[in-house]
Amino acid sequence: MHQTPEKTETWNKFLLTVSLVTVFFVSPLLFFTDLTRNPYYLQITLLNAALLAAGAVLTAGAIRKKSWDLPPNMLYAPLAAVLAVFALSLFRAYFAHAAFFRPAIASEGTRVGLFTLTNCALAFLIAQKVPFDKEPLRQSTAGWLALIFVWGALWLLFPELKSSAPGASLISRFWDPYGGLLWIAGAAAACLLVKNFNQEDFLHLALAAGAIASLYGVLQYFQIELIWPKLLNPYGNRSVSTFGNPNFISSYLVMLLPFTLAYLLAAKGPAQRFFYGFLFLIYEAMLMASLTRSSWIGAAAGLASVFAFREYREKFLENRKFLGWFFAAALALLVMWPANSLKPFTSGLAERFSEGSSRMLSPSAFSLDAKPEKLYASFHQRLLIWTSAWQMGLESPLLGKGWGLFELFYPFYQGALLYNFEPIRGFRTHANNAHNELLEIFSQTGLLGLGVYVWLLAVLAAGFYRYYKSAPFESRYWIIPFAAAMIGMYVDNIFNVSLHFAVPAFIFWWIFGALSKKLSGAEFSVGPASFRQTTGGQASLPPPPNSPAGPPSCLAENNRRTGIPPPSSLTWRMPALNTAAAAVLVIFCVWGINCWRAQFMREVHYFKGFKAMRKNDFAGAAAALKKAYDSHPREVNCNYEMGNAYVRAGNLAAAKWAYGEALNSNAGYDEIYFNLAIVNKKLGETARASDNLQVSAFLNPLNAAVFHALAEIYVKETAANAQEAVEIFKTAVSVFPADANLLNTLGYFYTRLKDARRAKESYARAVKLNPRDAMLVQNLFGVAAQLGLKDDADILWVKTHKELEDRLAAGDASPSAQVLADRLVALDPGNLSALGLRAKVNFKAGNTGKAKKDLLAVLAANPLENNARYGLAVVYEKEGAFENARREWNKLLAAEPNNPAIAEHLSKLPQ
């Protein structure tokens, strides 16, 4: 049956409303506890699929009407330039790198490219289709309050009313009668609340979703869990709420806080004050529960930006009687928020900001080579990431490493830094992003990408300035929170990565699009016959006496007078070409939806395989993981786990293929190269095993197992590779100076090169680490004999150590034995074995003070030396320092929980 244009418009509006309700309300709140390994993958899938569905509806409508129907916007050209440069950087990277990397470049580039086009650009464009209401304040907040409190309260019943899954099928685990009906009711209520289809309603839907997520997160912080079968603390005491990561919900709220402030200051009557005041306080509470300092700073910057404008200071003064008490309460909540809900009270604000302040107060702390007492994990790990990002950009200053390729190539830069800067080795990570937005853009797209990105922001800032100068009081008032939200998010992302994850990125780019729409003078209509906003209403805030009176439509006249070109609109100038372009966009949207469906099914099968692996069902795991691969073949973790499953199932050929597919997905994981090398070795592919081990060592020089595996290969092929082996194991012993086996291996290859002097040095270092190893002693004495050494200090040290051990074993702690112990330490003052041996002699002689001094020196050099800690605990017992003894025994018990001797010592200590 033929539909009239009006019916078609109504149907399209309904589809868009459902899609946007999914994005704004369902996606931020929905997650499953036993469906995918990342419980929040479904919400990411829904968000992207809903955006693509909305894009398909709008593009199909453009084909039907032969008109893009997008309003003028100052940012179309800069945004197109940004996307073009990003694509160019990726294109260059694909051909600039070796063929080995190209499958991974295509994989990662496609993944991030789809995110950029959907989560960012498409969100921006869809925002252009939603008009603003001429009355920003909601006349009634009852519906929104009901959605938050009634619908949210019904989830309190979920633990009692939820049903157990009747089977293992996807639908049985996906559908719960009570939860499902609750979601249908919530989505239906949300659709009714946004039936006018305007920016303010969708903004209020985001505010409501943020409030529900915040309530849940605050409950989590105080150990009340409604959905998960047990308390979940993947980030310590930091609440994740429904977002999966405390950094993501905190950034989401950073962008919403300026709007709640604007509505609160403009509120009329108790109902509106209660609603917006509640939103402000619950967001503040959730920000504190997230313990995300970058978001705290971002929120402060956003709110400060609001009050930087006269309009808001005046509104505060007009309502200072109420607002004074309100902000006093907000400040009290900020200061009195507990750092940990289960411990005696300390201020979370004070504790989080004071954590690293004592270490970061000197310029020397801002270095990868900082002294141990100046290291602060949160900062120095970021410094490691920032340095790698900077080096990426410098390698190709014009176009960077390639858009979307940060995670792929980051480990290749980190490895060298870990090798050269010992202090930061404990901060090794596999960074997804640069943790700084400017470095993120520069590292991947170079100066050209950074330049067009800054141009995009500069055009927006200039547009804001012009608008603010020419618009009336009411319009100026309501445009400020949009700008403040963006400022807060950018400040947050000086240290954060939330701009590159689904839900916070979407709300940012929606606000970005809405702001530019307003600044471009297209607030209340979106083109001919396209959901034109007809809501009336007068300004709720009267302009002050000296404010400009011109409406936003005067921007065109202002642009004419100032010589600034007006914002451009997208027109349908070449029908055939435009129709073809629109058809391609529809196909892209359909392909994207199917891509997300495939990725979601991959995650479902991946989780099945992951769980089967933990149950030692390796054949079942391999089958499930192969299904995951068949659903969507480009996910590095899934393919890596598939390789592990094949190895454990005994299918080495399949494991080799799976590890290869993992590298084709992302070639930046050292553990893939290592495991593939072991498979290569078992299959007799020695050369390939050696190559893969060397790559693994380059990416992660902190994995000693890689060097030991390399030693096995090189020892069998000494003649051809001795010099190469020496270079590798020089690196190894510089990273692992206390590994006697690696030193022995290095000494062996020096002997193959007939460099007896260096071989002797390596063997001597190895012997002093493990003087009881007969092979090491034999190697040292053998090479010393080749060199004709008789009175060498290292030989004398070994002989003295052996003599002292023999005398101690015979119970001799006489003064002459103590002199011998002092002589041993003098031969190598920092040697831990010598200090430990002297401590034993002194303890046996009754000199606990000297013994304690040596044991403390050993533990200062190596806190993991449990034999020294055991001796120290015994010394404290002997001296009657029972609390000190208890402390040391407890540390030992934590390291060796099944050691009965430690437990016995603890039980016998006086209480």
Side-chain angles (χ1 to χ4, degrees):
M1 181 177 177
H2 178 69
Q3 286 190 328
T4 64
E6 291 76 12
K7 287 185 177 180
T8 302
E9 287 291 307
T10 301
W11 176 245
N12 286 354
K13 182 177 179 180
F14 170 75
L15 292 177
L16 285 173
T17 300
V18 171
S19 296
L20 292 179
V21 165
T22 301
V23 171
F24 277 96
F25 180 70
V26 179
S27 176
L29 299 177
L30 179 63
F31 64 92
F32 281 82
T33 62
D34 191 31
L35 195 60
T36 55
R37 189 178 178 191
N38 177 351
Y40 313 92
Y41 205 87
L42 179 60
Q43 68 175 213
I44 301 170
T45 301
L46 282 175
L47 184 145
N48 283 274
L51 282 174
L52 288 162
V57 170
L58 292 173
T59 311
I63 294 173
R64 186 182 67 257
K65 292 184 290 185
K66 296 189 182 303
S67 169
W68 288 111
D69 258 4
L70 285 170
N73 194 299
M74 64 182 69
L75 295 186
Y76 288 147
L79 183 59
V82 167
L83 295 176
V85 173
F86 283 12
L88 179 62
S89 72
L90 182 59
F91 181 81
R92 186 211 67 86
Y94 184 85
F95 292 101
H97 287 88
F100 168 79
F101 287 106
R102 289 175 184 170
I105 290 173
S107 171
E108 287 294 285
T110 300
R111 178 181 66 84
V112 177
L114 184 58
F115 172 89
T116 304
L117 290 174
T118 305
N119 243 108
C120 307
L122 186 55
F124 175 93
L125 291 173
I126 295 173
Q128 306 307 304
K129 301 293 290 184
V130 182
F132 286 86
D133 195 340
K134 292 182 180 179
E135 173 55 72
L137 278 172
R138 303 299 82 185
Q139 295 301 314
S140 172
T141 59
W144 301 108
L145 284 168
L147 183 63
I148 295 171
F149 289 110
V150 177
W151 188 79
L154 289 172
W155 284 102
L156 295 172
L157 303 176
F158 182 73
E160 302 300 325
L161 298 179
K162 66 180 179 181
S163 304
S164 299
S169 66
L170 176 61
I171 189 63
S172 66
R173 288 183 292 133
F174 185 84
W175 177 256
D176 173 79
Y178 180 76
L181 292 173
L182 202 52
W183 269 114
I184 292 171
C191 286
L192 288 174
L193 287 167
V194 298
K195 64 181 183 297
N196 288 327
F197 200 81
N198 56 50
Q199 288 281 352
E200 284 75 12
D201 282 347
F202 285 112
L203 175 59
H204 276 74
L205 189 57
L207 294 173
I212 295 167
S214 297
L215 285 167
Y216 178 47
V218 170
L219 289 175
Q220 279 185 332
Y221 191 80
F222 291 101
Q223 313 300 310
I224 300 171
E225 178 55 63
L226 303 178
I227 309 300
W228 290 90
K230 60 180 180 180
L231 286 171
L232 188 71
N233 296 302
Y235 297 89
N237 196 43
R238 301 175 65 197
S239 292
V240 301
S241 185
T242 62
F243 280 60
N245 188 310
N247 294 351
F248 300 163
I249 186 170
S250 63
S251 293
Y252 188 83
L253 299 179
V254 164
M255 289 180 282
L256 295 183
L257 264 175
F259 293 101
T260 64
L261 179 60
Y263 282 114
L264 178 63
L265 267 62
K268 299 174 180 177
Q272 288 185 351
R273 285 180 174 176
F274 171 79
F275 177 58
Y276 296 116
F278 161 74
L279 291 179
F280 188 97
L281 292 177
I282 194 62
Y283 290 173
E284 180 187 6
M286 182 62 231
L287 274 171
M288 299 308 297
S290 75
L291 299 177
T292 307
R293 285 166 295 189
S294 65
S295 293
W296 294 352
I297 298 171
L303 297 177
S305 299
V306 169
F307 279 114
F309 291 91
R310 174 174 54 86
E311 291 80 1
Y312 281 82
R313 296 194 299 272
E314 290 176 354
K315 288 303 296 182
F316 176 82
L317 292 175
E318 287 176 20
N319 299 279
R320 59 182 175 273
K321 185 175 181 180
F322 160 71
L323 292 173
W325 285 105
F326 177 84
F327 285 118
L331 180 62
L333 176 64
L334 185 71
V335 175
M336 298 301 292
W337 188 265
N340 192 308
S341 59
L342 297 181
K343 293 182 179 179
F345 174 78
T346 54
S347 170
L349 183 71
E351 183 172 298
R352 284 291 279 170
F353 277 118
S354 64
E355 278 181 8
S357 59
S358 61
R359 303 184 178 202
M360 303 297 297
L361 294 179
S362 65
S364 62
F366 294 86
S367 167
L368 295 178
D369 203 24
K371 295 180 179 180
E373 64 271 15
K374 296 292 183 181
L375 291 175
Y376 182 51
S378 293
F379 172 76
H380 284 92
Q381 187 176 74
R382 281 175 171 79
L383 188 59
L384 172 62
I385 297 170
W386 294 340
T387 305
S388 298
W390 179 248
Q391 290 178 344
M392 275 191 208
L394 290 180
E395 185 178 297
S396 179
L398 183 62
L399 284 170
K401 199 64 179 175
W403 181 244
L405 305 183
F406 188 92
E407 181 181 357
L408 169 60
F409 287 114
Y410 169 77
F412 291 89
Y413 295 84
Q414 177 183 240
L417 294 173
L418 294 175
Y419 171 71
N420 287 298
F421 296 100
E422 182 180 356
I424 47 88
R425 289 174 183 169
F427 305 138
R428 176 184 171 269
T429 184
H430 194 99
N432 297 321
N433 299 94
H435 289 72
N436 179 285
E437 190 59 17
L438 293 179
L439 283 173
E440 181 82 25
I441 304 299
F442 172 67
S443 64
Q444 296 175 85
T445 64
L447 292 173
L448 186 58
L450 185 60
V452 293
Y453 190 77
V454 171
W455 174 41
L456 174 74
L457 299 179
V459 171
L460 187 70
F464 178 86
Y465 177 79
R466 293 198 308 272
Y467 187 100
Y468 183 78
K469 286 295 184 180
S470 62
F473 180 87
E474 172 84 0
S475 297
R476 295 202 311 271
Y477 183 92
W478 292 111
I479 200 67
I480 289 168
F482 286 87
M486 295 185 60
I487 290 171
M489 187 62 160
Y490 273 116
V491 171
D492 182 4
N493 275 260
I494 292 173
F495 293 93
N496 206 344
V497 296
S498 52
L499 268 170
H500 302 277
F501 288 84
V503 178
F506 161 75
I507 199 70
F508 172 84
W509 283 97
W510 182 275
I511 292 172
F512 200 101
L515 173 60
S516 64
K517 176 183 172 69
K518 267 203 171 198
L519 299 181
S520 300
E523 295 187 50
F524 305 121
S525 65
V526 291
S530 181
F531 313 152
R532 188 179 299 276
Q533 176 63 30
T534 59
T535 303
Q538 300 300 315
S540 60
L541 296 173
N546 298 322
S547 68
S553 59
C554 290
L555 283 173
E557 174 63 20
N558 183 64
N559 290 338
R560 186 189 65 77
R561 287 187 290 101
T562 58
I564 299 171
S568 60
S569 59
L570 298 182
T571 58
W572 200 276
R573 292 177 179 172
M574 294 178 287
L577 183 60
N578 280 271
T579 300
V584 169
L585 290 176
V586 171
I587 293 171
F588 168 78
C589 290
V590 173
W591 170 82
I593 292 171
N594 184 63
C595 183
W596 277 104
R597 178 206 60 80
Q599 290 182 84
F600 176 71
M601 291 309 302
R602 178 200 69 207
E603 291 297 307
V604 171
H605 293 304
Y606 171 40
F607 194 40
K608 287 182 181 178
F610 180 84
K611 291 189 289 187
M613 280 288 286
R614 273 62 194 166
K615 296 177 182 177
N616 295 327
D617 177 12
F618 305 124
L625 292 163
K626 182 58 168 61
K627 282 186 179 180
Y629 173 86
D630 291 338
S631 296
H632 187 270
R634 286 293 169 259
E635 210 292 316
V636 61
N637 296 294
C638 175
N639 295 342
Y640 172 68
E641 194 76 1
M642 179 168 59
N644 293 341
Y646 280 131
V647 168
R648 301 294 292 273
N651 191 343
L652 295 182
K656 175 184 173 182
W657 166 80
Y659 288 136
E661 288 300 287
L663 292 176
N664 286 339
S665 301
N666 187 324
Y669 284 81
D670 64 281
E671 53 264 51
I672 303 174
Y673 293 98
F674 178 76
N675 287 12
L676 179 57
I678 301 305
V679 171
N680 291 145
K681 187 179 173 186
K682 291 180 179 178
L683 292 173
E685 300 168 351
T686 306
R688 290 186 178 181
S690 177
D691 289 343
N692 285 322
L693 286 170
Q694 289 186 56
V695 175
S696 182
F698 180 79
L699 296 176
N700 179 15
L702 308 184
N703 185 2
V706 175
F707 294 109
H708 289 297
L710 275 168
E712 294 180 20
I713 293 175
Y714 276 104
V715 165
K716 294 179 181 179
E717 301 177 357
T718 302
N721 299 303
Q723 185 59 55
E724 183 178 293
V726 162
E727 296 305 318
I728 289 173
F729 290 101
K730 280 168 62 179
T731 299
V733 299
S734 70
V735 178
F736 299 100
D739 191 318
N741 290 328
L742 290 177
L743 283 163
N744 184 54
T745 301
L746 178 60
Y748 168 76
F749 285 111
Y750 275 131
T751 62
R752 302 307 299 176
L753 292 176
K754 303 188 184 308
D755 189 342
R757 182 180 61 82
R758 286 193 174 89
K760 180 257 177 186
E761 292 173 358
S762 297
Y763 287 139
R765 287 175 59 189
V767 167
K768 289 181 180 180
L769 289 168
N770 191 2
R772 299 175 185 84
D773 190 313
M775 181 187 68
L776 294 177
V777 173
Q778 181 181 349
N779 289 343
L780 174 61
F781 277 66
V783 76
Q786 290 180 28
L787 292 168
L789 301 176
K790 295 183 179 179
D791 299 324
D792 179 74
D794 295 324
I795 300 295
L796 179 60
W797 187 94
V798 175
K799 291 179 177 178
T800 304
H801 189 281
K802 179 68 168 60
E803 180 184 352
L804 185 60
E805 275 198 319
D806 291 343
R807 293 180 67 171
L808 190 60
D812 182 2
S814 62
S816 63
Q818 295 171 45
V819 170
L820 189 63
D822 290 337
R823 189 184 308 156
L824 177 67
V825 172
L827 288 169
D828 188 358
N831 187 272
L832 302 187
S833 179
L835 288 170
L837 201 57
R838 186 171 70 175
K840 290 180 180 179
V841 172
N842 283 321
F843 180 80
K844 196 169 189 67
N847 194 336
T848 57
K850 286 186 176 181
K852 180 171 64 177
K853 182 179 179 181
D854 282 340
L855 292 170
L856 288 170
V858 171
L859 288 170
N862 182 10
L864 301 179
E865 182 53 67
N866 286 343
N867 287 332
R869 194 171 300 283
Y870 192 103
L872 182 62
V874 172
V875 167
Y876 280 136
E877 283 188 6
K878 187 80 170 177
E879 292 180 339
F882 299 120
E883 286 305 312
N884 289 342
R886 192 185 314 279
R887 182 187 67 237
E888 301 304 325
W889 287 125
N890 280 323
K891 289 180 181 179
L892 279 168
L893 191 62
E896 303 176 23
N898 298 319
N899 190 324
I902 298 172
E904 183 179 356
H905 274 281
L906 269 170
S907 66
K908 291 182 178 179
L909 285 176
Q911 297 300 319

